[in-house]
Each structure stands twice: as C-alpha cells, then as structure tokens.
Amino acid sequence: MGLLKNSLLLQDATAQAAAAAAGVGRRGVATSTEEYMRRNYANNVSEYNTVIGSLVQQRRHVQPPYLLRDAYDDMLLDGVQPVRDTFHNLIVGTMKGSRLQDAFYFRDQMREMGLQPDVNLYNFLISTCGKCKNSDAAILLLEEMKAHGVKLKGETYICLLNALAATGRTDQVYAIVRDMTAAGLGLNKFCYAGLITAFKNKTPASEDTPAKILEFVQQSKGWQYVERVANDSAENIMMNVSEEELYNLPTAEFAHRRGFIFKQLTIYHVAIHACADLGSKETLEALLDMFTKENFNYDAFIVMQAVRCYLRCGDIDSAVKMFEEFSSLKPTPAELYVTLAEGAMIGYTPRGMEVAQATLEKMTERKFFLNPKMGTDLLLAASGEKTGGYTTANYIWDMLQTRNIIPALPAVEAYYKGLKEREIPSDDPRLVNVARVLDNLQLRLGPRRNFQ
C-alpha cells in the first residue's frame, strides 16, 4: 500500500509539484485526520497528475523510478480515480526509467478502469520494450493493437523498427520496412538509424555490418518524410519526449542540451556510435571522410564517439588529436573530457594513464566538475589499474571528495580493493576515509543493491 515518507506542506502549485516530487515515499494507513492533512501532498486527480508529472521530469539519478508506483498507490489509497492523462504520465515515466514491468502494470490498471490505450500510449510502451531490449514484447504489443483496432501511425512503425533493432532482429526490422512501404510510408532518418542499429546489435556479428553501415548512411541522404497527421507529435512535445528518446537513439540523453548535437546529423550520430561500439576504426574513418565531403561541422557527440572509437582501437594519438582540434574551436563539454580520460585508461598503458591524468587536470583547470555518474564511471575504470602508483584513481577520488560527492558502491568497493592491494599502512588517512565511506554505503545500500 502507498505510504508517505516525510511531511509535505505545499504552498502553491509550483512549489507543490517540486516538494511532492522530492517527498513521495510510503504513507501509513492508520493516521489521524490532522496528521493526514499535515502529511498529504495531493488531494485530487489534478494535484496527483501534477506530482506524477514532476516525478517524470526528474532526471533518473535524482528520483528513483519506483516512486511512480508509490505515488500511484497513494492515489488509490486516497480514493482518487486516475484518468487517462494520469496513465499517460505514468507510462512515459516508466519509459524514461526503462521500467517495462511497471509499464505493463499501468497498462493493465488502465484497462481495469475501462480505459483503452490509444496509439500514442502504445508508442510509449513499444519504446519501453526497445529500451529494455525486449523485442518479443514489442511484437505482442503490435498484435494487441491490431486486435483492438488501434490504427498504427508513422511513429508507431518507427518505434517498432527501433525496438526490434535493439536486439539485432534484422529480419523483423526488414519486415517492418516492408509494412511501411505497403502502407505508403517512406523511410526517414530514424528508420535508417534503426537499420544501422539492428546490424550493429546482430548476433552473431555479421561480416558485412561495416559495409551495411556505410550503405545505409548513403541511402539516408535521399530520405523521404514519413507522412503523418499534423498533431502526431503534439503529445510527445507536451510530455517533453524528444524523437531521439522515443526511438531510443544514442543521442537521447543529449537531445535537450543546447548545442551538444546538431539534429540534422542524426544518421552520422548513430553510425559513428555504432563504429565505437564495434571498434571499427576503418569504418569510422570512411564515415568521417563522407562527413567532411558534405561540408558538415562536428558537434560534441560526433567527436565524443569518434574519440571513443579510436581509444577502443588503441589509437590514443588520433583520439587526442581529434579532441584537441575540437577543443581549440568550440566550447568542450565535460562529457568529452570524461570520454577521453576513461577511454585512455583501457589496457592501463603508461601512455594511456598519462593522457587520462592530463585530461583530468585540464578539467580541474577549466573549473569542470564531475557529477556522480561521471565520477563513478571514471573511478571504476581507474581502480582497475594493477601496477603503478594509483595516481589517477586517487586524483579522481580527491576530485569527488572536494565536492562532497560519493560515487556508487561498486566504484568505492573497487577503489578500496585497489588501495588494499598496495603497501599502504592500515592507519593511512586515505584508506581510513575510503573504508568509512564504504562501510556507510554498505550499511545504507547493501540490502538494496539489486533493487529495481
């Protein structure tokens, strides 16, 4: 049953949403009227929709996604009847948090209340299947739509295509393309992005994947606009869902970052990201050559993925060169520094560790700070160094400590293990501090490490 964690007294609508998003928890059933009023954070469907909408818009690492279930339980406990907008908010939230089980739970709850999911909601559900790499569930949703007479839109086909691409189901992806053609729909850049992703994820890996990537990039240059009703994307805009997020593109988390990506380069974003995942330097350089011939300018994402590819292929010098050329022309986001530093640590070569250390020092000089996710990723990577003075790992830890940021438990465990493997006195201040942080994390998070 839904319960509340802390008191939430909300003075106005804006403050109400923010405070409720921060305080939704678990609420006891046996509560006096006065105590209930003091603790209650929503009293009607409009207020609950505002709270749920605020939770949905929180960044994932800020608000645990399970709070949506808590808010919904509280809503039912209060005897407030959810409406269609409530379920749309909830399902968008599960999509953003990659919570497939919760998505289907809310769909079932919706039906129990006599509300039939519409095509937009099915699009969100299918997108969630893609995020969770469950193509079978996406196919079942397609059959369900047909059984209930829900007409597919252009967006639906593209959601399906990209959901199937997430598991490398090239045969089924091609089947969706044929269905689109039969329905009189052309392929747009998001379709070609899905085709590239499908071949990248295909298992076992196909030898013709690099050639297919280049082929699809070439074909995409004559892409046709997928016909759609004028208001097809209206709900996505209202829900603050970008096309990149809906179709599970690798640029999704940067879509709302001003200047980070140039949206006209979508096909190159996906293709170069695929090269980085596959570690295909030859394909990368063929794409960069095509890119240059079209007189495009690099955006941060293109450079970030090219750097990642070079580093995965062991070409540190090319990665550094690309990073420095971009940095000399444009403002460089923190993510690019982190990509170079983390990738340079692959293999823990002397040259790579030197580049990683220098890159982190440049970050500090330029007043860039690590957020918890960046710090966790970097510390986890640096803690794998078995020889040397552990300089980079120590530097990352100090960067985080300066801003009172505690990385995730796996990173702290790895760092502590690395320290213990070295000849450090048991009363060393650094070792004592890390041990204390680790004990606190294990005490607080230990029982919930595998919680989702």
Side-chain angles (χ1 to χ4, degrees):
M1 300 298 293
L3 313 174
L4 263 186
K5 190 194 299 185
N6 295 309
S7 62
L8 296 165
L9 188 59
L10 312 173
Q11 281 91 14
D12 54 55
T14 304
Q16 181 185 54
V24 171
R26 311 299 288 177
R27 178 170 60 205
V29 178
T31 309
S32 68
T33 302
E34 183 179 346
E35 180 70 5
Y36 173 83
M37 292 302 294
R38 188 176 70 84
R39 290 188 174 186
N40 197 33
Y41 59 90
N43 297 296
N44 54 50
V45 68
S46 177
E47 291 179 0
Y48 267 109
N49 284 349
T50 300
V51 169
I52 291 170
S54 183
L55 283 173
V56 169
Q57 296 309 319
Q58 298 296 312
R59 295 179 67 177
R60 188 178 178 188
H61 70 267
V62 176
Q63 291 294 344
Y66 54 80
L67 290 184
L68 290 173
R69 284 288 293 266
D70 292 347
Y72 181 73
D73 288 345
D74 286 345
M75 190 176 191
L76 298 184
L77 185 66
D78 283 344
V80 177
Q81 178 75 16
V83 296
R84 182 174 293 277
D85 285 349
T86 309
F87 287 109
H88 276 236
N89 266 321
L90 289 166
I91 289 175
V92 167
T94 61
M95 181 193 75
K96 288 176 177 287
S98 302
R99 308 275 294 186
L100 188 58
Q101 185 176 355
D102 284 348
F104 283 121
Y105 169 77
F106 290 131
R107 181 216 42 194
D108 293 341
Q109 288 285 298
M110 187 176 184
R111 282 184 175 155
E112 287 180 13
M113 296 180 189
L115 299 171
Q116 174 62 33
D118 59 19
V119 65
N120 291 321
L121 192 141
Y122 273 113
N123 290 345
F124 297 140
L125 288 170
I126 292 168
S127 177
T128 309
C129 293
K131 290 181 189 297
C132 299
K133 301 188 184 302
N134 192 330
S135 56
D136 291 337
I139 293 296
L140 289 175
L141 286 169
L142 173 60
E143 298 303 321
E144 184 179 302
M145 291 179 74
K146 293 177 179 178
H148 288 87
V150 180
K151 185 178 179 181
L152 279 67
K153 302 191 301 184
E155 281 182 349
T156 313
Y157 285 106
I158 304 173
C159 284
L160 277 165
L161 192 156
N162 281 281
L164 297 171
T167 53
R169 304 287 286 272
T170 54
D171 54 338
Q172 293 182 329
V173 168
Y174 277 130
I176 296 297
V177 170
R178 289 193 293 271
D179 288 347
M180 292 183 70
T181 303
L185 300 172
L187 302 184
N188 69 4
K189 61 182 180 180
F190 298 113
C191 300
Y192 286 108
L195 286 164
I196 290 171
T197 301
F199 274 88
K200 181 202 76 171
N201 293 331
K202 188 176 181 180
T203 51
S206 175
E207 291 183 0
D208 66 344
T209 293
K212 284 290 185 183
I213 291 173
L214 297 174
E215 177 187 331
F216 291 137
V217 172
Q218 287 284 6
Q219 290 179 3
S220 72
K221 295 174 184 178
W223 67 273
Q224 305 171 43
Y225 192 74
V226 175
E227 295 179 13
R228 62 175 69 184
V229 179
N231 64 352
D232 266 9
S233 297
E235 179 162 1
N236 299 343
I237 294 170
M238 182 178 69
M239 296 284 190
N240 199 29
V241 176
S242 66
E243 290 177 304
E244 290 80 5
E245 186 169 24
L246 185 65
Y247 304 138
N248 298 319
L249 300 192
T251 50
E253 67 176 294
F254 306 108
H256 298 295
R257 289 271 298 275
R258 185 176 179 181
F260 200 100
I261 61 172
F262 302 152
K263 296 201 173 188
Q264 69 269 30
L265 302 179
T266 293
I267 197 70
Y268 281 105
H269 292 148
V270 176
I272 293 175
H273 178 270
C275 291
D277 282 355
L278 296 169
S280 180
K281 177 180 171 181
E282 183 179 348
T283 311
L284 168 67
E285 294 187 334
L287 286 168
L288 294 179
D289 185 56
M290 292 167 58
F291 190 93
T292 302
K293 288 178 180 177
E294 292 189 69
N295 294 316
F296 288 134
N297 293 317
Y298 294 144
D299 62 19
F301 188 84
I302 294 281
V303 176
M304 190 165 71
Q305 298 308 316
V307 165
R308 190 165 71 92
C309 183
Y310 280 129
L311 292 169
R312 291 197 64 186
C313 296
D315 189 350
I316 294 177
D317 291 339
S318 292
V320 171
K321 180 182 177 183
M322 191 156 200
F323 173 88
E324 290 180 345
E325 287 178 352
F326 183 80
S327 299
S328 67
L329 298 173
K330 297 181 180 181
T332 307
E335 288 87 351
L336 190 47
Y337 284 93
V338 171
T339 298
L340 179 58
E342 185 177 1
M345 288 188 273
I346 295 173
Y348 305 104
T349 64
R351 165 72 170 144
M353 297 308 292
E354 178 186 334
V355 168
Q357 181 72 23
T359 303
L360 293 169
E361 289 173 358
K362 285 179 184 177
M363 280 190 74
T364 303
E365 290 170 7
R366 288 162 173 72
K367 307 299 182 183
F368 278 118
F369 302 110
L370 298 175
N371 63 31
K373 182 182 183 306
M374 291 177 182
T376 294
D377 292 344
L378 284 171
L379 185 62
L380 202 53
S383 296
E385 185 184 14
K386 299 301 181 184
T387 59
Y390 223 37
T391 305
T392 304
N394 290 339
Y395 190 83
I396 294 166
W397 177 263
D398 292 342
M399 288 176 74
L400 295 171
Q401 288 288 290
T402 299
R403 293 183 58 80
N404 295 317
I405 293 174
I406 303 299
L409 178 58
V412 179
E413 286 178 331
Y415 180 53
Y416 179 73
K417 180 181 177 182
L419 288 173
K420 292 286 288 182
E421 290 173 350
R422 286 162 169 79
E423 296 180 1
I424 299 176
S426 59
D427 61 348
D428 179 82
R430 179 183 297 276
L431 184 62
V432 171
N433 178 38
V434 176
R436 182 172 62 250
V437 171
L438 180 59
D439 288 343
N440 290 338
L441 280 174
Q442 289 175 333
L443 181 64
R444 183 163 56 92
L445 303 175
R448 294 171 63 91
R449 282 185 68 183
N450 297 318
F451 184 85
Q452 289 189 3

